[in-house]
Amino acid sequence: MTESPAQVGVLTFHRCINYGSYWQARCLVEGVRAMGHDARLLDHHSDAVVQAEWRCALQPALPERTSAADLPAYKAKARKFVTAIEQLPRSATFAIDDPGTVTALDAVVVGSDEVWNFRHPWYAGVPLFFGEGIAAPRLLSYAASFGNHDAADGIGDVWVERLRRFTAISVRDANAQALVGGALGETPPLVLDPVLQFGDRVPRGVPDADRYALVYGHGFPDWLAQAMRRWAKRHDVRLHSIGYRNDWADTQEIDAGPEAFAERVAGASALVTNFFHGCVFALVHGTPFVTAPSSYRFNKVRDLAAALEAQRHIVAPETADAFYDTVLTAPHEARIGERIAELRAQSTAFLGAALG
């Protein structure tokens, strides 16, 4: 007699209007389903979170306000996210502070994303992401992160006790390893972000005949914008900004949905980003890239680069133009691919054992 597939719930930030959040949630669910389990996102809801998400989606660069001319594009982008999210496998919707209505599950996977970030502007310290109120024989984390909550700041006792309830813990960065290790006395394994782990779930493509370098993020420092303008002029490459307005880019595509974003990365000849998942997508596709992470994303990008031995892709004000000429036109170093393969095997082993 064939065994029924395990019922697995995934707890993450799946309703964020953010390309990285969408794709890590989708890849994790689809990846677990490909392992033979019946996985679905646990569809938590909060009116306050929805309001915060839409405010951020429409005004991403506060205190600088979005121009009236750009608002329709940001609204169109947000609506595309809503449509895409509705198509993902999800549970019945429940209040974020009352998961008691969630049907019986064999396992719950918390992660990835910044599910344990005590500094997140609206998800900080939500007990649900520490398994509170969830009844399942297996409670595990996959690629969980504390975001910009630094290891030096530690974890409060109530959160330590909640972490002790997990049957298996894995994290995606060294900062989280240090926090969990310090709290529980045992360093958790490092695993890949779901987009890297299940990169086969991401749309593929070939470089566009109209060569362009993708610009992903906002609030770039002036020195990086100027360096990229000089590089683009030297190499006759168009700078194409996606998801946000960056006036220093040649073209703007603010209203791109999640699928279009993945396709644009696949078609780009190079990428510049200050976002974590910008780096991840470049790594998935082998796209030449540089990054200068914002202070909010510094821990995540620093630790990703260190884990994959890709530190040379992090640039600084003193980075010479000749370096951009090299790193934005050359294939990734072989060691990066080797490290991804090593961590992919480690991540597969963790999930297989943790889910049973």
Side-chain angles (χ1 to χ4, degrees), residues 217-232:
H218 61 80
F220 287 90
D222 288 341
W223 59 263
L224 180 54
Q226 292 166 11
M228 288 302 301
R229 288 297 318 162
R230 294 193 300 270
W231 173 83

Side-chain angles (χ1 to χ4, degrees), residues 113-114 145-148 172-173 175 276-277 296-305:
D113 221 324
E114 304 173 22
S145 171
F146 289 86
N148 66 329
R172 76 178 185 191
D173 51 59
N175 184 63
F276 173 81
H277 274 102
Y296 183 86
R297 298 169 177 87
F298 179 77
N299 284 344
K300 299 185 292 184
V301 173
R302 174 202 61 199
D303 290 354
L304 175 69

Side-chain angles (χ1 to χ4, degrees), residues 192 283 307-309 332-346:
L192 288 175
L283 290 160
L308 301 182
E309 299 182 22
H332 292 180
E333 302 87 336
R335 185 56 182 153
I336 292 177
E338 293 167 0
R339 284 296 294 147
I340 291 174
E342 291 165 8
L343 284 169
R344 190 168 284 148
Q346 183 169 305

Side-chain angles (χ1 to χ4, degrees), residues 15 35 61 73 118 232 333:
R15 287 195 175 274
M35 295 171 67
F118 297 109
E333 302 87 336

Side-chain angles (χ1 to χ4, degrees), residues 78-263:
R79 287 193 293 268
K80 289 172 185 175
F81 268 90
V82 171
T83 299
I85 291 163
E86 292 298 323
Q87 294 171 357
L88 298 176
R90 293 171 294 115
S91 72
T93 305
F94 60 93
I96 197 168
D97 57 357
D98 184 19
T101 58
V102 175
T103 56
L105 296 163
D106 298 303
V108 169
V109 182
V110 178
S112 91
D113 221 324
E114 304 173 22
V115 285
W116 294 340
N117 188 358
F118 297 109
R119 299 173 188 270
H120 193 281
W122 48 87
Y123 277 126
V126 174
L128 177 68
F129 297 112
F130 289 81
E132 195 72 12
I134 294 294
R138 294 175 184 266
L139 177 62
L140 58 134
S141 72
Y142 181 80
S145 171
F146 289 86
N148 66 329
H149 180 82
D150 198 79
D153 297 323
I155 306 173
D157 290 344
V158 66
W159 305 105
V160 173
E161 290 308 308
R162 284 170 172 155
L163 287 177
R164 291 190 193 281
R165 296 178 49 233
F166 281 72
T167 52
I169 291 178
S170 69
V171 296
R172 76 178 185 191
D173 51 59
N175 184 63
Q177 279 188 308
L179 278 160
V180 174
L184 302 183
E186 184 175 348
T187 302
L190 190 71
V191 296
L192 288 175
D193 179 89
V195 180
L196 267 175
Q197 175 66 10
F198 302 110
D200 59 330
R201 321 306 299 183
V202 176
R204 298 280 166 168
V206 295
D208 198 295
D210 175 20
R211 293 180 67 236
Y212 64 90
L214 203 67
V215 178
Y216 175 46
H218 61 80
F220 287 90
D222 288 341
W223 59 263
L224 180 54
Q226 292 166 11
M228 288 302 301
R229 288 297 318 162
R230 294 193 300 270
W231 173 83
K233 185 175 181 180
R234 289 194 302 275
H235 294 268
D236 192 26
V237 175
R238 175 169 59 91
L239 296 176
H240 182 76
S241 181
I242 191 161
Y244 305 95
R245 171 168 289 281
N246 286 286
D247 286 327
W248 52 275
D250 298 301
T251 50
Q252 313 289 330
E253 188 181 5
I254 294 171
D255 63 347
E259 291 278 348
F261 168 79
E263 291 166 2

